[in-house]
Amino acid sequence: MVTQRYSEDLLRKTQLLILLACTLQVCMAADVTGNWLATEEQSDGTVRRTYLDLKQEGSNVTGTVSLRYNYFDIKGSTPQGADAYTLTVNSGRPNARDMNINIKLVGDELQVDSRFRPNAPPSHVVAHRVAAGEGAKPARLPVPELHKVPYNGLAKTPPMGWNSWNKFAGKVDDAGVRAAADAMVASGMKDAGYQYINIDDTWQLDRDAQGNIRPNKKFPDMKALADYVHSKGLKIGIYSSPGPNTCAGYEGSYGHELQDARTYAAWGIDYLKYDWCGASNIYKDEDMQAVYQKMGDALRQVGRPIVFSLCQYGRSDVWKWGPDVGGNLWRTTGDIRDSWDSMTKIGFNQNDLAPYAGPGHWNDPDMLEIGNGHMTDTEYQTHMSLWSMLAAPLLAGNDLQNQTKETLAILTNRDVIAIDQDAAGKQGKRLSQSGESEVWIRDLSNGGKAIAFFNRGGQTADITVKWSDAGLKSAPKKARDLWLHQDLKVKGDEYKASVPSHGVVMLRVHA
Ligand code: GLA
């Protein structure tokens, strides 16, 4: 009897102890429920944050994981031994793939192993508990009613300049931007028409107590940098996102649009590339126009002419409303890569957008890859020619300090640049196509025409155009080969160009 009462007593005491321990959260040791944060300081001084908002019921874990600009919903969980789970997550964006994140509770730390892109290196971080709700997706701010933002009078011809992303990505810094400005002048690119020195993603640190955006260690003094670029007779551009974060996971302008526009103006910024990326976590594609309009309005208010470059990869027929939000140019495609395949897929796909380009507002098939090393010079000539036929912005994306004379000759071909910069601003169109040969034509001011013969095939090809098909009554009085820099005497009904594999012959003709 005594023993039984003693053990009942012990049981009751133990239960009490467990209850007390659970109240003090000791028994939660094996439960991942809660908010977690892992921080990784990067070399530029910014802190990359991975947040987990987890709820465990039995062996099932639900919630969200946020990394850089992405909020991923947990769709399923599989236990992997004691206190460890594989979480299947998805960002919920169109065509987004499921991804796996492995978590393991070790003491009061949560070890998180992930690979957010199939080819990305695996990431291992250690998260700690934070206050409930910390790192949750920001609430969606209301978007303004649509109206027409007045034209800012800029970019009467397609913007020309340099952008840091294609070559330097996260390695862009103050010294590199100054060097690009120096090289733009010294190389003769400035004289050929290049003007903007544009800093792309990864310049941001965080916001100060008043919410002002601060550059990271790589950019100690933005105003001084802008002054330097201006002292070279050039203009300077910057990059942000309408979302909380940029594509590379840096601070965006969400909820700080006007404040950031004021900051840019105070620094002396002349050009803003505004990249959707992190905005996709907050807004729907239907909101895009209003969201871009918000920044378009902000830029109008700050008393400085700032070119407004929309970057949302050509979604939601941006060419139809880009000018209405004050946009001077808008990306029409996803990101270009330095390959023949990528460049031609983008470039030759722009035909239908021709009606939307004109002085002050341009289709932007993305920045140039000329000189970045993975195409031949012949292919880079095609890149330069095609972009010029398309009245595309010419934003060099190479290392201006270390470019071959062939690269420089391509980028500074004034005959071709003059086509790109033609004042009429009419985007060229495909005139004919036969197999892998294409002829494109562009109407120029004063009745001239540019005609480009492109050979996308693997062998040299003869490509012919009848003058009558090009809208000319007879052989033009004036004709110039823009890569040979030679005036031509042309006769007869047609012109036959012998075009090397992946190459181009480009003419300027005048009846
Ligand atoms: C997106 C844009 C690129 C570049 C990167 C920076 O991918 O399309 O042009 O700005 O973001 O993160």
Side-chain angles (χ1 to χ4, degrees):
M1 273 305 273
V2 177
T3 339
Q4 195 188 341
R5 215 172 25 229
Y6 175 75
S7 53
E8 274 172 13
D9 196 40
L10 191 69
L11 188 68
R12 226 174 291 122
K13 274 186 184 146
T14 318
Q15 280 170 343
L16 252 171
L17 256 172
I18 291 172
L19 196 70
L20 186 72
C22 283
T23 321
L24 294 172
Q25 294 221 332
V26 175
C27 82
M28 298 290 282
D31 188 335
V32 298
T33 299
N35 288 78
W36 300 86
L37 166 64
T39 55
E40 296 160 276
E41 172 146 1
Q42 304 183 79
S43 57
D44 59 20
T46 53
V47 177
R48 179 174 295 167
R49 295 183 167 81
T50 306
Y51 281 105
L52 300 98
D53 180 359
L54 305 177
K55 186 156 188 230
Q56 183 179 338
E57 279 163 323
S59 62
N60 189 36
V61 180
T62 53
T64 56
V65 178
S66 86
L67 173 80
R68 299 170 162 215
Y69 63 93
N70 271 315
Y71 294 85
F72 297 89
D73 287 326
I74 299 171
K75 291 173 55 187
S77 65
T78 317
Q80 303 287 0
D83 302 341
Y85 301 88
T86 296
L87 310 176
T88 305
V89 303
N90 193 291
S91 70
R93 290 198 272 162
N95 308 321
R97 267 190 300 259
D98 284 352
M99 283 174 302
N100 286 339
I101 299 178
N102 293 313
I103 57 170
K104 184 175 173 54
L105 194 60
V106 180
D108 53 7
E109 290 181 349
L110 191 68
Q111 300 188 348
V112 184
D113 292 284
S114 57
R115 193 191 288 262
F116 276 83
R117 267 172 286 123
N119 301 326
S123 138
H124 173 84
V125 292
V126 175
H128 295 97
R129 285 188 187 276
V130 289
E134 191 180 323
K137 195 194 280 194
R140 179 184 179 281
L141 293 170
V143 296
E145 290 285 306
L146 293 183
H147 66 92
K148 237 181 148 91
V149 179
Y151 171 48
N152 58 12
L154 302 172
K156 294 228 164 85
T157 61
M160 290 178 67
W162 171 86
N163 173 294
S164 58
W165 186 256
N166 283 355
K167 175 70 186 175
F168 297 99
K171 295 198 179 80
V172 61
D173 63 7
D174 179 283
V177 172
R178 284 171 195 253
D182 292 345
M184 188 168 274
V185 177
S187 65
M189 286 177 71
K190 173 175 180 263
D191 289 340
Y194 292 86
Q195 190 179 25
Y196 290 95
I197 296 286
N198 291 349
I199 304 166
D200 207 276
D201 205 351
T202 77
W203 61 267
Q204 312 88 328
L205 177 67
D206 59 5
R207 294 187 181 276
D208 69 13
Q210 286 72 46
N212 297 308
I213 187 76
R214 294 194 291 198
N216 59 44
K217 279 199 221 167
K218 297 189 297 173
F219 292 92
D221 188 341
M222 273 298 185
K223 170 90 174 66
L225 178 57
D227 288 348
Y228 182 79
V229 172
H230 291 150
S231 77
K232 300 268 150 184
L234 298 168
K235 295 188 186 308
I236 185 164
I238 211 159
Y239 166 101
S240 191
S241 168
N245 296 87
T246 65
C247 286
Y250 287 70
E251 187 81 24
S253 291
Y254 187 67
H256 294 271
E257 293 80 0
L258 182 57
Q259 188 174 21
D260 284 357
R262 290 210 169 100
T263 302
Y264 304 151
W267 286 341
I269 298 294
D270 308 294
Y271 185 117
L272 172 66
K273 172 173 167 184
Y274 206 42
D275 190 347
W276 186 248
C277 253
S280 60
N281 285 129
I282 307 282
Y283 301 114
K284 298 213 156 51
D285 278 12
E286 300 90 87
D287 301 325
M288 263 184 195
Q289 182 172 349
V291 169
Y292 275 93
Q293 175 192 294
K294 197 171 182 182
M295 185 51 101
D297 276 333
L299 294 175
R300 290 285 297 167
Q301 283 179 54
V302 299
R304 185 177 175 86
I306 298 178
V307 171
F308 190 25
S309 156
L310 279 45
C311 176
Q312 39 79 286
Y313 337 114
R315 285 179 21 199
S316 301
D317 291 348
V318 59
W319 36 88
K320 295 190 177 154
W321 50 264
D324 292 346
V325 301
N328 296 110
L329 59 156
W330 46 81
R331 279 273 295 279
T332 58
T333 73
D335 289 12
I336 195 168
R337 280 172 295 107
D338 181 20
S339 75
W340 169 253
D341 209 41
S342 165
M343 184 275 287
T344 51
K345 261 195 193 129
I346 289 177
F348 287 110
N349 215 0
Q350 303 294 307
N351 192 50
D352 295 345
L353 300 182
Y356 301 100
H361 46 269
W362 308 100
N363 292 309
D364 173 8
D366 208 357
M367 305 169 291
L368 301 173
E369 291 283 10
I370 295 166
N372 280 335
H374 292 96
M375 285 185 252
T376 64
D377 287 332
T378 301
E379 292 171 337
Y380 286 138
Q381 286 183 344
T382 296
H383 190 0
M384 183 76 185
S385 303
L386 185 50
W387 262 235
S388 296
M389 293 301 285
L390 295 172
L394 296 179
L395 295 168
N398 59 321
D399 179 354
L400 301 187
Q401 278 203 305
N402 298 294
Q403 49 185 346
T404 63
K405 62 178 192 319
E406 289 79 10
T407 295
L408 185 60
I410 294 167
L411 285 170
T412 56
N413 181 330
R414 287 170 190 242
D415 281 328
V416 173
I417 290 174
I419 303 302
D420 182 74
Q421 295 288 301
D422 183 77
K426 289 208 176 111
Q427 179 170 328
K429 296 201 64 171
R430 182 182 285 110
L431 180 67
S432 63
Q433 181 171 19
S434 160
E436 305 200 273
S437 299
E438 301 199 16
V439 179
W440 285 60
I441 188 155
R442 181 173 170 187
D443 286 329
L444 305 173
S445 45
N446 308 324
K449 286 176 197 294
I451 305 175
F453 303 75
F454 294 106
N455 175 7
R456 300 174 67 174
Q459 309 292 326
T460 299
D462 284 341
I463 309 179
T464 306
V465 78
K466 283 203 172 66
W467 297 122
S468 57
D469 288 343
L472 299 173
K473 289 204 188 82
S474 56
K477 295 258 163 352
K478 280 201 227 160
R480 185 172 173 80
D481 184 312
L482 306 186
W483 285 106
L484 296 177
H485 303 290
Q486 267 171 23
D487 290 337
L488 307 171
K489 289 220 165 14
V490 292
K491 289 188 296 228
D493 297 342
E494 59 181 35
Y495 189 81
K496 192 202 272 180
S498 167
V499 189
S501 161
H502 291 190
V504 62
V505 167
M506 195 167 166
L507 305 183
R508 180 184 193 124
V509 299
H510 203 287

